[in-house]
Amino acid sequence: QVQLVESGGGLVQAGGSLRLSCAASGRTFSVYTGGWFRQAPGKEREFVAAISRSGGSTYYSDSVKGRFTISRDNAKNTVYLQMNSLKPEDTAVYYCAAQGTSYVPTLPGRYDYWGQGTQVTVSS
Protein backbone atom coordinates (compact mmCIF):
# COMPACT_ATOMS: atom_id res chain seq x y z
CA GLN A 1 0.00 0.00 0.00
CA VAL A 2 1.08 3.60 -0.56
CA GLN A 3 0.02 6.95 0.90
CA LEU A 4 0.10 10.08 -1.26
CA VAL A 5 0.36 13.72 -0.17
CA GLU A 6 0.15 16.60 -2.66
CA SER A 7 1.65 20.04 -2.19
CA GLY A 8 2.45 23.12 -4.23
CA GLY A 9 -0.98 24.43 -5.06
CA GLY A 10 -1.94 28.06 -4.70
CA LEU A 11 -3.15 31.21 -6.39
CA VAL A 12 -1.41 32.38 -9.55
CA GLN A 13 -2.17 34.85 -12.32
CA ALA A 14 -2.93 33.67 -15.83
CA GLY A 15 0.28 32.94 -17.70
CA GLY A 16 2.09 32.00 -14.51
CA SER A 17 3.55 28.69 -13.35
CA LEU A 18 3.24 26.28 -10.46
CA ARG A 19 4.89 22.98 -9.63
CA LEU A 20 2.89 20.37 -7.80
CA SER A 21 4.56 17.59 -5.84
CA CYS A 22 3.16 14.24 -4.78
CA ALA A 23 5.14 12.56 -2.02
CA ALA A 24 4.58 8.84 -1.54
CA SER A 25 5.18 6.81 1.58
CA GLY A 26 4.77 3.15 2.32
CA ARG A 27 5.74 0.69 -0.34
CA THR A 28 8.55 1.55 -2.79
CA PHE A 29 7.03 4.04 -5.18
CA SER A 30 8.90 2.78 -8.24
CA VAL A 31 6.44 -0.13 -8.51
CA TYR A 32 3.54 2.27 -9.11
CA THR A 33 2.50 4.23 -12.16
CA GLY A 34 1.56 7.79 -11.26
CA GLY A 35 -1.16 10.10 -12.47
CA TRP A 36 -2.52 13.60 -11.95
CA PHE A 37 -6.20 14.39 -12.18
CA ARG A 38 -8.21 17.52 -11.50
CA GLN A 39 -11.74 18.36 -10.52
CA ALA A 40 -13.40 21.74 -10.88
CA PRO A 41 -16.61 22.61 -9.00
CA GLY A 42 -19.62 20.93 -10.55
CA LYS A 43 -17.51 18.87 -12.93
CA GLU A 44 -16.27 15.30 -13.03
CA ARG A 45 -12.71 14.40 -12.18
CA GLU A 46 -10.64 14.53 -15.35
CA PHE A 47 -7.32 13.12 -16.44
CA VAL A 48 -4.39 15.53 -16.65
CA ALA A 49 -1.19 13.48 -17.01
CA ALA A 50 0.31 10.09 -16.23
CA ILE A 51 3.77 8.58 -16.05
CA SER A 52 5.09 5.04 -16.21
CA ARG A 53 6.95 3.38 -13.35
CA SER A 54 10.37 4.18 -14.81
CA GLY A 55 9.36 7.63 -16.00
CA GLY A 56 10.14 6.66 -19.58
CA SER A 57 6.58 7.10 -20.84
CA THR A 58 4.30 10.07 -20.22
CA TYR A 59 0.76 10.87 -21.31
CA TYR A 60 -1.20 14.12 -21.31
CA SER A 61 -4.70 15.32 -21.91
CA ASP A 62 -5.09 17.50 -24.98
CA SER A 63 -6.01 20.47 -22.79
CA VAL A 64 -2.62 20.57 -21.05
CA LYS A 65 -0.28 19.10 -23.69
CA GLY A 66 2.61 21.46 -24.33
CA ARG A 67 2.00 23.40 -21.11
CA PHE A 68 2.28 20.79 -18.35
CA THR A 69 5.08 18.30 -17.71
CA ILE A 70 4.85 15.24 -15.48
CA SER A 71 8.02 13.75 -14.04
CA ARG A 72 9.11 11.56 -11.18
CA ASP A 73 12.10 10.98 -8.92
CA ASN A 74 11.87 7.43 -7.60
CA ALA A 75 14.80 8.00 -5.26
CA LYS A 76 12.68 10.66 -3.55
CA ASN A 77 9.38 8.76 -3.93
CA THR A 78 7.90 11.84 -5.59
CA VAL A 79 5.93 12.66 -8.72
CA TYR A 80 5.82 16.23 -10.02
CA LEU A 81 3.54 18.25 -12.26
CA GLN A 82 5.13 21.37 -13.71
CA MET A 83 2.38 23.67 -14.92
CA ASN A 84 3.27 26.58 -17.21
CA SER A 85 1.19 29.12 -19.11
CA LEU A 86 -1.66 28.58 -16.70
CA LYS A 87 -5.17 29.58 -17.73
CA PRO A 88 -8.25 30.36 -15.61
CA GLU A 89 -9.80 27.13 -16.89
CA ASP A 90 -7.00 25.21 -15.16
CA THR A 91 -8.54 26.19 -11.81
CA ALA A 92 -9.41 23.00 -9.92
CA VAL A 93 -8.43 20.71 -7.09
CA TYR A 94 -5.53 18.60 -8.35
CA TYR A 95 -5.17 15.02 -7.19
CA CYS A 96 -2.25 12.64 -7.35
CA ALA A 97 -2.99 8.95 -7.93
CA ALA A 98 -1.09 5.68 -8.15
CA GLN A 99 -1.71 2.13 -9.21
CA GLY A 100 0.50 -0.93 -9.00
CA THR A 101 0.73 -2.39 -12.51
CA SER A 102 2.82 -1.52 -15.56
CA TYR A 103 -0.29 -0.22 -17.30
CA VAL A 104 -0.55 3.59 -17.44
CA PRO A 105 -4.27 4.36 -17.28
CA THR A 106 -6.02 7.62 -17.99
CA LEU A 107 -9.32 6.74 -16.30
CA PRO A 108 -9.61 7.63 -12.61
CA GLY A 109 -11.34 4.34 -11.83
CA ARG A 110 -8.16 2.48 -12.77
CA TYR A 111 -6.19 4.01 -9.91
CA ASP A 112 -6.11 2.47 -6.46
CA TYR A 113 -4.54 5.19 -4.33
CA TRP A 114 -5.31 8.90 -4.10
CA GLY A 115 -4.01 11.93 -2.29
CA GLN A 116 -6.21 14.48 -0.56
CA GLY A 117 -5.85 17.07 -3.31
CA THR A 118 -4.37 20.54 -3.58
CA GLN A 119 -6.19 23.64 -4.80
CA VAL A 120 -4.92 25.50 -7.85
CA THR A 121 -6.58 28.82 -8.64
CA VAL A 122 -5.66 30.83 -11.73
CA SER A 123 -6.90 34.41 -11.83
CA SER A 124 -7.53 36.28 -15.07
Side-chain angles (χ1 to χ4, degrees):
Q1 213 170 15
V2 65
Q3 293 78 44
L4 305 173
V5 178
E6 303 96 334
S7 61
L11 174 64
V12 64
Q13 288 189 332
S17 298
L18 283 174
R19 188 175 83 155
L20 305 183
S21 298
C22 173
S25 61
R27 197 175 171 194
T28 303
F29 192 53
S30 60
V31 303
Y32 295 93
T33 58
W36 285 97
F37 292 79
R38 66 187 182 187
Q39 189 166 17
K43 295 188 176 181
E44 293 186 352
R45 192 167 298 190
E46 66 171 355
F47 170 72
V48 175
I51 189 166
S52 62
R53 293 187 290 192
S54 68
S57 297
T58 56
Y59 305 87
Y60 299 92
S61 68
D62 289 342
S63 61
V64 307
K65 197 173 296 182
R67 300 188 297 123
F68 291 10
T69 302
I70 189 171
S71 62
R72 67 190 296 161
D73 185 338
N74 286 336
K76 295 183 178 179
N77 284 350
T78 303
V79 173
Y80 304 97
L81 185 68
Q82 177 66 44
M83 306 186 295
N84 298 329
S85 303
L86 282 161
K87 305 175 181 179
E89 52 264 43
D90 294 318
T91 295
V93 177
Y94 283 70
Y95 297 90
C96 175
Q99 64 92 29
T101 73
S102 60
Y103 178 56
V104 186
T106 60
L107 294 175
R110 299 285 187 174
Y111 285 83
D112 302 310
Y113 305 103
W114 292 85
Q116 83 289 349
T118 185
Q119 177 71 47
V120 171
T121 303
V122 184
S123 63
S124 57

